[in-house]
Coordinates of all heavy atoms in Angstrom, one line a residue:
M401 N 29.0 56.6 -26.4 CA 29.8 57.4 -25.6 C 30.6 56.6 -24.6 O 30.1 55.8 -23.9 CB 29.0 58.4 -24.9 CG 29.7 59.3 -23.9 SD 28.8 60.7 -23.6 CE 29.5 61.3 -22.2
A402 N 31.9 56.7 -24.6 CA 32.8 55.9 -23.8 C 32.9 56.6 -22.4 O 32.9 57.8 -22.3 CB 34.2 55.8 -24.4
G403 N 33.0 55.7 -21.4 CA 33.2 56.2 -20.0 C 34.7 56.4 -19.8 O 35.5 56.3 -20.7
R404 N 35.0 56.8 -18.6 CA 36.4 57.1 -18.3 C 37.3 55.8 -18.3 O 36.7 54.8 -18.0 CB 36.6 57.9 -17.0 CG 36.0 57.2 -15.8 CD 36.0 58.1 -14.6 NE 35.4 57.5 -13.5 CZ 35.9 57.4 -12.3 NH1 37.0 58.0 -12.0 NH2 35.3 56.7 -11.3
T405 N 38.5 56.0 -18.5 CA 39.4 54.8 -18.5 C 40.5 55.0 -17.5 O 40.9 56.1 -17.2 CB 40.1 54.6 -19.9 OG1 40.8 55.8 -20.2 CG2 39.1 54.3 -21.0
L406 N 40.9 53.9 -16.9 CA 42.0 53.9 -15.9 C 43.0 52.8 -16.1 O 42.7 51.9 -16.9 CB 41.4 53.7 -14.5 CG 40.4 54.8 -13.9 CD1 39.8 54.3 -12.6 CD2 41.1 56.1 -13.8
Q407 N 44.1 52.9 -15.5 CA 45.1 51.9 -15.6 C 45.5 51.4 -14.2 O 45.6 52.2 -13.3 CB 46.4 52.5 -16.2 CG 47.1 51.7 -17.2 CD 48.3 52.4 -17.9 OE1 48.9 53.3 -17.2 NE2 48.5 52.2 -19.1
G408 N 45.6 50.0 -14.1 CA 45.9 49.5 -12.8 C 46.5 48.1 -12.9 O 46.7 47.6 -14.0
M409 N 46.7 47.5 -11.7 CA 47.2 46.1 -11.6 C 46.2 45.2 -11.1 O 45.5 45.5 -10.2 CB 48.5 46.1 -10.7 CG 49.1 44.8 -10.6 SD 50.6 44.8 -9.6 CE 51.7 45.8 -10.6
V410 N 46.2 44.0 -11.7 CA 45.3 42.9 -11.3 C 45.8 42.3 -9.9 O 46.9 41.9 -9.8 CB 45.2 41.8 -12.3 CG1 44.3 40.7 -11.8 CG2 44.6 42.4 -13.6
T411 N 44.9 42.4 -8.9 CA 45.3 41.9 -7.6 C 44.6 40.6 -7.2 O 45.0 40.0 -6.3 CB 45.1 43.0 -6.5 OG1 43.7 43.4 -6.5 CG2 46.0 44.1 -6.7
S412 N 43.5 40.3 -7.9 CA 42.8 39.0 -7.6 C 42.1 38.6 -8.9 O 41.5 39.4 -9.6 CB 41.8 39.2 -6.5 OG 41.0 38.1 -6.4
N413 N 42.2 37.3 -9.2 CA 41.4 36.7 -10.3 C 40.8 35.4 -9.9 O 40.6 34.5 -10.8 CB 42.4 36.5 -11.5 CG 43.5 35.5 -11.3 OD1 43.7 35.1 -10.1 ND2 44.2 35.2 -12.3
S414 N 40.4 35.3 -8.7 CA 39.8 34.0 -8.2 C 38.3 33.8 -8.6 O 37.8 32.8 -8.4 CB 40.0 33.9 -6.7 OG 39.4 35.0 -6.1
M415 N 37.7 34.9 -9.1 CA 36.2 34.8 -9.5 C 36.1 34.5 -10.9 O 37.0 34.7 -11.7 CB 35.5 36.1 -9.1 CG 35.5 36.4 -7.6 SD 34.9 38.1 -7.3 CE 36.4 39.0 -7.4
N416 N 34.9 34.0 -11.3 CA 34.6 33.7 -12.7 C 34.3 35.0 -13.5 O 33.4 35.7 -13.1 CB 33.5 32.7 -12.9 CG 33.8 31.3 -12.3 OD1 35.0 30.9 -12.3 ND2 32.8 30.6 -11.9
K417 N 35.1 35.3 -14.5 CA 34.8 36.4 -15.4 C 34.9 37.8 -14.7 O 34.4 38.8 -15.1 CB 33.5 36.3 -16.1 CG 33.4 35.2 -17.1 CD 32.2 35.2 -17.9 CE 32.2 34.0 -18.9 NZ 31.0 34.1 -19.7
T418 N 35.6 37.8 -13.5 CA 35.8 39.0 -12.7 C 37.2 39.0 -12.2 O 37.7 38.1 -11.7 CB 34.8 39.1 -11.5 OG1 33.4 38.9 -12.0 CG2 34.9 40.4 -10.8
V419 N 37.8 40.2 -12.3 CA 39.1 40.4 -11.7 C 39.0 41.7 -10.8 O 38.1 42.6 -11.1 CB 40.2 40.6 -12.7 CG1 40.5 39.3 -13.4 CG2 40.0 41.7 -13.7
V420 N 39.8 41.8 -9.8 CA 39.9 43.0 -9.0 C 41.2 43.7 -9.4 O 42.3 43.2 -9.4 CB 40.0 42.6 -7.5 CG1 40.1 43.9 -6.6 CG2 38.8 41.9 -7.1
V421 N 41.0 45.0 -9.8 CA 42.1 45.8 -10.2 C 42.3 47.0 -9.2 O 41.4 47.7 -8.8 CB 41.8 46.4 -11.6 CG1 42.9 47.4 -12.1 CG2 41.6 45.3 -12.6
T422 N 43.6 47.1 -8.8 CA 43.9 48.2 -7.9 C 44.5 49.3 -8.7 O 45.5 49.1 -9.5 CB 44.9 47.7 -6.8 OG1 44.3 46.6 -6.1 CG2 45.3 48.8 -5.9
V423 N 43.9 50.5 -8.6 CA 44.4 51.7 -9.3 C 45.0 52.7 -8.2 O 44.3 53.1 -7.3 CB 43.3 52.4 -10.0 CG1 43.7 53.7 -10.7 CG2 42.7 51.4 -11.1
G424 N 46.2 53.1 -8.4 CA 46.9 54.0 -7.5 C 46.9 55.4 -8.0 O 46.9 55.6 -9.2
R425 N 47.0 56.3 -7.1 CA 47.1 57.7 -7.5 C 47.9 58.5 -6.4 O 47.9 58.0 -5.2 CB 45.8 58.4 -7.8 CG 44.9 58.4 -6.6 CD 43.5 58.9 -7.0 NE 42.5 58.7 -5.9 CZ 42.2 59.8 -5.1 NH1 42.7 60.9 -5.3 NH2 41.3 59.6 -4.1
R426 N 48.5 59.6 -6.7 CA 49.2 60.4 -5.7 C 48.5 61.8 -5.6 O 48.2 62.4 -6.6 CB 50.6 60.7 -6.2 CG 51.5 59.5 -6.1 CD 52.9 59.7 -6.7 NE 53.5 61.0 -6.3 CZ 54.4 61.1 -5.3 NH1 54.8 60.0 -4.6 NH2 54.9 62.3 -5.0
T427 N 48.1 62.2 -4.4 CA 47.5 63.4 -4.1 C 48.3 64.2 -3.1 O 48.9 63.6 -2.2 CB 46.0 63.3 -3.7 OG1 46.0 62.5 -2.5 CG2 45.2 62.6 -4.8
K428 N 48.2 65.5 -3.1 CA 48.8 66.4 -2.2 C 47.9 66.6 -1.0 O 46.7 66.9 -1.2 CB 49.2 67.7 -2.8 CG 50.1 68.6 -2.0 CD 50.5 69.8 -2.8 CE 51.5 70.6 -2.0 NZ 51.9 71.8 -2.8
H429 N 48.4 66.4 0.2 CA 47.6 66.6 1.4 C 47.2 68.1 1.5 O 48.1 69.0 1.4 CB 48.4 66.2 2.7 CG 47.5 66.1 3.9 ND1 47.2 67.2 4.6 CD2 46.9 65.1 4.5 CE1 46.4 66.9 5.7 NE2 46.2 65.6 5.6
P430 N 46.0 68.4 1.8 CA 45.6 69.9 1.7 C 46.2 70.7 2.8 O 46.5 71.9 2.6 CB 44.0 69.8 1.9 CG 43.7 68.5 2.4 CD 44.8 67.6 2.0
K431 N 46.5 70.2 4.0 CA 47.0 71.0 5.1 C 48.5 70.9 5.1 O 49.2 72.0 5.3 CB 46.4 70.5 6.4 CG 46.9 71.4 7.6 CD 46.2 71.0 8.8 CE 46.7 71.8 10.0 NZ 46.0 71.4 11.3
Y432 N 49.1 69.7 5.0 CA 50.5 69.5 5.3 C 51.4 69.6 4.0 O 52.6 69.7 4.1 CB 50.8 68.2 6.0 CG 50.1 68.2 7.4 CD1 49.0 67.4 7.6 CD2 50.5 69.1 8.4 CE1 48.4 67.4 8.8 CE2 49.8 69.2 9.6 CZ 48.7 68.3 9.8 OH 48.1 68.3 11.0
G433 N 50.8 69.4 2.8 CA 51.5 69.5 1.6 C 52.3 68.3 1.2 O 52.9 68.3 0.1
K434 N 52.2 67.2 2.0 CA 52.9 66.0 1.7 C 52.1 65.2 0.6 O 50.9 65.2 0.7 CB 53.1 65.2 2.9 CG 53.8 63.9 2.7 CD 53.9 63.1 4.0 CE 54.6 61.8 3.8 NZ 54.8 61.0 5.1
Y435 N 52.8 64.6 -0.3 CA 52.2 63.7 -1.3 C 51.9 62.4 -0.7 O 52.7 61.8 -0.1 CB 53.0 63.6 -2.5 CG 53.0 64.9 -3.4 CD1 54.0 65.8 -3.2 CD2 52.0 65.1 -4.3 CE1 53.9 67.0 -4.0 CE2 51.9 66.2 -5.0 CZ 52.9 67.2 -4.9 OH 52.8 68.3 -5.6
V436 N 50.6 61.9 -0.8 CA 50.2 60.7 -0.3 C 49.8 59.7 -1.4 O 49.1 60.1 -2.3 CB 48.9 61.0 0.7 CG1 48.5 59.7 1.3 CG2 49.3 62.0 1.7
N437 N 50.2 58.5 -1.2 CA 49.7 57.4 -2.2 C 48.4 56.9 -1.8 O 48.3 56.3 -0.6 CB 50.8 56.3 -2.3 CG 52.1 56.8 -2.9 OD1 52.1 57.6 -3.8 ND2 53.2 56.3 -2.4
L438 N 47.4 57.0 -2.6 CA 46.1 56.4 -2.4 C 45.8 55.4 -3.4 O 46.3 55.4 -4.6 CB 45.0 57.5 -2.4 CG 45.2 58.6 -1.4 CD1 44.1 59.7 -1.6 CD2 45.1 58.1 0.0
S439 N 44.9 54.4 -3.1 CA 44.6 53.4 -4.1 C 43.1 53.0 -3.9 O 42.5 53.2 -2.9 CB 45.4 52.1 -3.9 OG 45.2 51.5 -2.7
S440 N 42.5 52.6 -5.0 CA 41.1 52.2 -5.1 C 41.0 50.8 -5.8 O 41.8 50.6 -6.7 CB 40.3 53.2 -5.8 OG 40.3 54.4 -5.2
K441 N 40.1 50.0 -5.3 CA 39.9 48.7 -5.9 C 38.6 48.7 -6.7 O 37.6 49.2 -6.3 CB 39.9 47.6 -4.9 CG 41.2 47.3 -4.2 CD 41.0 46.2 -3.2 CE 42.4 45.9 -2.6 NZ 42.3 44.7 -1.7
Y442 N 38.7 48.1 -7.9 CA 37.5 48.0 -8.8 C 37.3 46.6 -9.2 O 38.3 45.9 -9.6 CB 37.7 48.9 -10.1 CG 37.9 50.4 -9.8 CD1 39.2 50.9 -9.7 CD2 36.8 51.2 -9.6 CE1 39.4 52.3 -9.5 CE2 37.0 52.5 -9.3 CZ 38.3 53.1 -9.3 OH 38.4 54.4 -9.0
H443 N 36.0 46.2 -9.2 CA 35.7 44.9 -9.8 C 35.5 45.0 -11.3 O 34.7 45.9 -11.7 CB 34.4 44.3 -9.1 CG 34.7 43.8 -7.7 ND1 33.7 43.5 -6.9 CD2 35.8 43.6 -7.0 CE1 34.1 43.1 -5.7 NE2 35.5 43.2 -5.8
V444 N 36.2 44.3 -12.1 CA 36.2 44.5 -13.5 C 35.7 43.2 -14.2 O 36.1 42.1 -13.9 CB 37.6 44.8 -14.0 CG1 37.7 45.0 -15.5 CG2 38.1 46.1 -13.3
H445 N 34.9 43.4 -15.2 CA 34.4 42.3 -16.0 C 35.4 41.9 -17.0 O 35.8 42.7 -17.9 CB 33.1 42.7 -16.7 CG 32.4 41.5 -17.4 ND1 31.9 40.4 -16.8 CD2 32.2 41.3 -18.8 CE1 31.4 39.6 -17.7 NE2 31.6 40.1 -18.9
D446 N 35.8 40.6 -17.0 CA 36.8 40.0 -17.9 C 36.2 38.8 -18.6 O 36.3 37.7 -18.1 CB 38.1 39.6 -17.1 CG 39.2 39.1 -18.0 OD1 39.1 39.2 -19.2 OD2 40.2 38.6 -17.4
E447 N 35.5 39.1 -19.7 CA 34.7 38.1 -20.4 C 35.5 36.9 -20.8 O 35.1 35.7 -20.6 CB 34.0 38.7 -21.6 CG 33.1 37.8 -22.4 CD 31.9 37.3 -21.6 OE1 31.3 38.2 -20.8 OE2 31.4 36.2 -21.8
K448 N 36.7 37.1 -21.4 CA 37.5 36.0 -21.9 C 38.5 35.5 -20.9 O 39.2 34.5 -21.3 CB 38.2 36.5 -23.2 CG 37.2 36.9 -24.3 CD 37.9 37.4 -25.5 CE 36.9 37.9 -26.5 NZ 37.6 38.5 -27.7
E449 N 38.5 36.0 -19.8 CA 39.4 35.6 -18.7 C 40.9 35.6 -19.2 O 41.6 34.6 -19.0 CB 39.0 34.3 -18.1 CG 37.7 34.3 -17.4 CD 37.3 33.0 -16.7 OE1 38.0 32.1 -16.8 OE2 36.2 33.0 -16.2
V450 N 41.3 36.7 -19.8 CA 42.7 36.7 -20.3 C 43.7 37.3 -19.3 O 44.9 37.1 -19.5 CB 42.7 37.6 -21.6 CG1 42.0 36.9 -22.7 CG2 42.2 39.0 -21.4
S451 N 43.3 38.0 -18.3 CA 44.2 38.7 -17.4 C 44.6 37.7 -16.3 O 43.8 36.9 -15.8 CB 43.6 40.0 -16.8 OG 42.4 39.7 -16.1
K452 N 45.8 37.8 -15.8 CA 46.4 37.0 -14.8 C 46.8 37.9 -13.6 O 46.8 39.2 -13.8 CB 47.6 36.2 -15.2 CG 47.3 35.3 -16.4 CD 46.4 34.2 -16.1 CE 46.2 33.3 -17.3 NZ 44.8 33.2 -17.7
L453 N 47.1 37.4 -12.5 CA 47.6 38.1 -11.3 C 48.9 38.9 -11.7 O 49.8 38.3 -12.2 CB 47.8 37.1 -10.2 CG 47.8 37.6 -8.8 CD1 46.4 38.2 -8.4 CD2 48.2 36.6 -7.8
G454 N 48.9 40.2 -11.3 CA 50.1 41.0 -11.5 C 50.1 41.7 -12.9 O 51.0 42.5 -13.1
D455 N 49.1 41.4 -13.8 CA 49.1 42.1 -15.1 C 48.7 43.6 -14.9 O 47.9 44.0 -14.0 CB 48.1 41.5 -16.0 CG 48.5 40.1 -16.5 OD1 49.6 39.7 -16.2 OD2 47.6 39.5 -17.2
V456 N 49.3 44.4 -15.7 CA 48.9 45.9 -15.8 C 47.9 46.0 -16.9 O 48.1 45.6 -18.0 CB 50.1 46.8 -16.0 CG1 49.7 48.2 -16.2 CG2 51.1 46.6 -14.9
V457 N 46.7 46.5 -16.6 CA 45.6 46.5 -17.5 C 44.9 47.9 -17.6 O 45.1 48.7 -16.8 CB 44.5 45.5 -17.1 CG1 45.0 44.1 -17.2 CG2 43.9 45.8 -15.7
T458 N 44.2 48.1 -18.7 CA 43.4 49.3 -18.9 C 41.9 48.9 -18.8 O 41.5 47.9 -19.3 CB 43.6 49.9 -20.3 OG1 45.0 50.2 -20.5 CG2 42.8 51.1 -20.5
I459 N 41.2 49.6 -17.9 CA 39.8 49.3 -17.7 C 38.9 50.6 -18.1 O 39.4 51.7 -18.1 CB 39.5 48.9 -16.3 CG1 39.9 50.1 -15.3 CG2 40.2 47.7 -15.9 CD1 39.6 49.8 -13.8
Q460 N 37.7 50.3 -18.5 CA 36.8 51.4 -18.9 C 35.5 51.3 -18.1 O 34.9 50.2 -17.9 CB 36.5 51.3 -20.4 CG 35.7 52.4 -20.9 CD 35.5 52.3 -22.4 OE1 35.5 51.2 -23.0 NE2 35.4 53.4 -23.1
E461 N 34.9 52.4 -17.8 CA 33.6 52.4 -17.1 C 32.5 52.0 -18.1 O 32.6 52.4 -19.2 CB 33.4 53.8 -16.6 CG 32.3 54.0 -15.5 CD 32.3 55.3 -14.9 OE1 32.7 56.3 -15.6 OE2 31.9 55.5 -13.8
C462 N 31.5 51.3 -17.6 CA 30.4 50.9 -18.4 C 29.1 50.9 -17.5 O 29.2 51.2 -16.3 CB 30.7 49.5 -19.0 SG 30.9 48.2 -17.9
K463 N 28.0 50.5 -18.1 CA 26.8 50.3 -17.3 C 27.0 49.2 -16.3 O 27.7 48.3 -16.6 CB 25.6 50.1 -18.3 CG 25.6 48.8 -19.0 CD 24.3 48.7 -19.8 CE 24.2 47.3 -20.4 NZ 23.0 47.1 -21.1
P464 N 26.3 49.2 -15.2 CA 26.4 48.2 -14.2 C 26.1 46.8 -14.7 O 25.1 46.6 -15.4 CB 25.4 48.6 -13.1 CG 25.2 50.1 -13.3 CD 25.4 50.3 -14.8
I465 N 27.0 45.9 -14.5 CA 26.9 44.5 -14.9 C 26.3 43.7 -13.8 O 25.5 42.7 -14.0 CB 28.2 43.9 -15.4 CG1 28.7 44.7 -16.6 CG2 28.1 42.4 -15.7 CD1 30.1 44.4 -17.0
S466 N 26.7 44.0 -12.5 CA 26.1 43.4 -11.3 C 26.2 44.4 -10.2 O 26.4 45.6 -10.5 CB 27.0 42.1 -11.0 OG 28.3 42.5 -10.5
K467 N 26.0 43.9 -9.0 CA 25.9 44.9 -7.9 C 27.2 45.6 -7.7 O 27.2 46.8 -7.4 CB 25.6 44.1 -6.6 CG 25.5 44.9 -5.3 CD 25.2 44.1 -4.1 CE 25.2 44.9 -2.9 NZ 25.0 44.1 -1.7
T468 N 28.4 45.0 -7.9 CA 29.7 45.6 -7.7 C 30.4 45.9 -9.0 O 31.4 46.7 -8.9 CB 30.5 44.8 -6.8 OG1 30.7 43.5 -7.4 CG2 29.9 44.6 -5.4
K469 N 30.0 45.3 -10.1 CA 30.8 45.5 -11.3 C 30.2 46.5 -12.2 O 29.1 46.4 -12.7 CB 30.9 44.2 -12.1 CG 31.8 43.2 -11.6 CD 32.2 42.1 -12.6 CE 31.0 41.2 -13.0 NZ 31.4 40.1 -13.9
S470 N 31.0 47.6 -12.5 CA 30.6 48.6 -13.5 C 31.8 49.0 -14.3 O 31.8 50.1 -14.8 CB 29.9 49.8 -12.8 OG 30.8 50.4 -11.9
W471 N 32.8 48.2 -14.4 CA 33.9 48.4 -15.2 C 34.2 47.2 -16.1 O 33.8 46.0 -15.7 CB 35.2 48.6 -14.4 CG 35.1 49.9 -13.6 CD1 34.4 50.1 -12.4 CD2 35.7 51.2 -13.9 NE1 34.6 51.4 -12.0 CE2 35.3 52.1 -12.9 CE3 36.4 51.6 -15.0 CZ2 35.7 53.4 -12.9 CZ3 36.8 52.9 -15.0 CH2 36.5 53.8 -13.9
K472 N 34.8 47.4 -17.3 CA 35.1 46.2 -18.2 C 36.6 46.4 -18.6 O 37.1 47.4 -18.7 CB 34.2 46.2 -19.4 CG 34.3 47.4 -20.3 CD 33.3 47.3 -21.4 CE 33.3 48.5 -22.3 NZ 32.4 48.5 -23.4
L473 N 37.2 45.2 -18.9 CA 38.6 45.1 -19.3 C 38.7 45.5 -20.7 O 38.0 45.0 -21.6 CB 39.1 43.7 -19.0 CG 40.5 43.5 -19.4 CD1 41.4 44.1 -18.3 CD2 40.8 42.0 -19.5
I474 N 39.6 46.4 -21.0 CA 39.9 46.8 -22.4 C 41.1 46.1 -23.0 O 41.0 45.5 -24.0 CB 40.1 48.4 -22.5 CG1 38.9 49.1 -22.0 CG2 40.4 48.8 -23.9 CD1 37.6 48.9 -22.8
E475 N 42.2 46.2 -22.3 CA 43.4 45.5 -22.8 C 44.4 45.2 -21.7 O 44.4 45.8 -20.7 CB 44.1 46.3 -23.9 CG 44.7 47.6 -23.4 CD 45.5 48.3 -24.4 OE1 46.0 47.7 -25.3 OE2 45.5 49.6 -24.3
V476 N 45.2 44.2 -21.9 CA 46.3 43.9 -21.0 C 47.5 44.6 -21.6 O 48.0 44.3 -22.7 CB 46.6 42.4 -20.9 CG1 47.8 42.1 -20.1 CG2 45.3 41.7 -20.4
I477 N 48.1 45.5 -20.8 CA 49.2 46.3 -21.3 C 50.5 45.6 -21.1 O 51.4 45.5 -22.0 CB 49.3 47.7 -20.5 CG1 48.1 48.5 -20.9 CG2 50.6 48.4 -20.9 CD1 47.9 49.7 -20.0
R478 N 50.7 45.0 -19.9 CA 51.9 44.3 -19.6 C 51.6 43.0 -18.8 O 50.8 43.1 -17.8 CB 52.9 45.2 -18.8 CG 54.3 44.6 -18.6 CD 55.2 45.6 -18.0 NE 54.8 45.9 -16.6 CZ 54.6 47.1 -16.1 NH1 54.7 48.2 -16.8 NH2 54.3 47.2 -14.8
Q479 N 52.2 41.9 -19.1 CA 52.0 40.7 -18.4 C 52.7 40.7 -17.0 O 53.8 41.3 -16.9 CB 52.6 39.5 -19.2 CG 51.9 39.2 -20.5 CD 50.5 38.7 -20.4 OE1 50.3 37.9 -19.4 NE2 49.6 39.1 -21.3
G480 N 52.1 40.1 -16.0 CA 52.8 40.0 -14.7 C 53.9 39.1 -14.7 O 54.1 38.2 -15.6
E481 N 54.7 39.2 -13.6 CA 55.9 38.3 -13.5 C 55.4 36.9 -13.2 O 54.5 36.7 -12.3 CB 56.8 38.8 -12.4 CG 57.4 40.1 -12.7 CD 58.3 40.6 -11.6 OE1 58.6 39.8 -10.7 OE2 58.8 41.7 -11.7
K482 N 56.0 35.9 -13.8 CA 55.5 34.5 -13.6 C 56.4 33.9 -12.4 O 57.6 34.0 -12.4 CB 55.7 33.7 -14.8 CG 54.9 34.1 -16.0 CD 55.0 33.3 -17.2 CE 54.0 33.9 -18.2 NZ 54.1 33.5 -19.5
T483 N 55.6 33.3 -11.5 CA 56.3 32.7 -10.3 C 56.1 31.2 -10.3 O 55.3 30.6 -10.9 CB 55.8 33.2 -9.0 OG1 54.3 33.1 -9.0 CG2 56.2 34.7 -8.9

């Protein structure tokens, strides 16, 4: 049984086999009705270390790998800009 999947951007890849992915979403404020941009950061297991900074990736929920990692990398959708 597969867990939920999300799409986000790699914001850090300084750890071994781990990347930090920021996932953004837009929600409507309950009282004022304005749309607000919210984001969440997830520690993602990247076994082959294929993702780079700025890549857009798909991640999937899995059983806990460590204290903070319970997501794994599925695929790199788009490469980040090279600087």
Side-chain angles (χ1 to χ4, degrees):
M401 175 157 162
R404 61 190 175 129
T405 59
L406 297 173
Q407 220 176 32
M409 183 178 289
V410 176
T411 54
S412 173
N413 63 349
S414 59
M415 297 172 273
N416 292 333
K417 296 188 179 183
T418 303
V419 293
V420 178
V421 176
T422 302
V423 177
R425 62 189 174 98
R426 287 173 48 96
T427 59
K428 191 173 184 179
H429 192 280
K431 183 175 180 181
Y432 300 113
K434 179 179 179 179
Y435 285 94
V436 183
N437 291 323
L438 299 176
S439 63
S440 300
K441 290 184 177 182
Y442 298 99
H443 287 168
V444 178
H445 185 66
D446 183 8
E447 181 67 34
K448 298 177 184 174
E449 297 185 1
V450 294
S451 61
K452 305 289 184 245
L453 202 62
D455 289 355
V456 176
V457 295
T458 301
I459 60 175
Q460 184 179 30
E461 197 171 27
C462 64
K463 67 178 186 174
I465 298 168
S466 68
K467 181 181 176 182
T468 57
K469 281 198 296 187
S470 60
W471 293 82
K472 62 183 175 181
L473 182 74
I474 299 300
E475 66 175 332
V476 176
I477 297 172
R478 188 174 69 233
Q479 297 289 327
E481 296 179 9
K482 296 183 179 171
T483 53

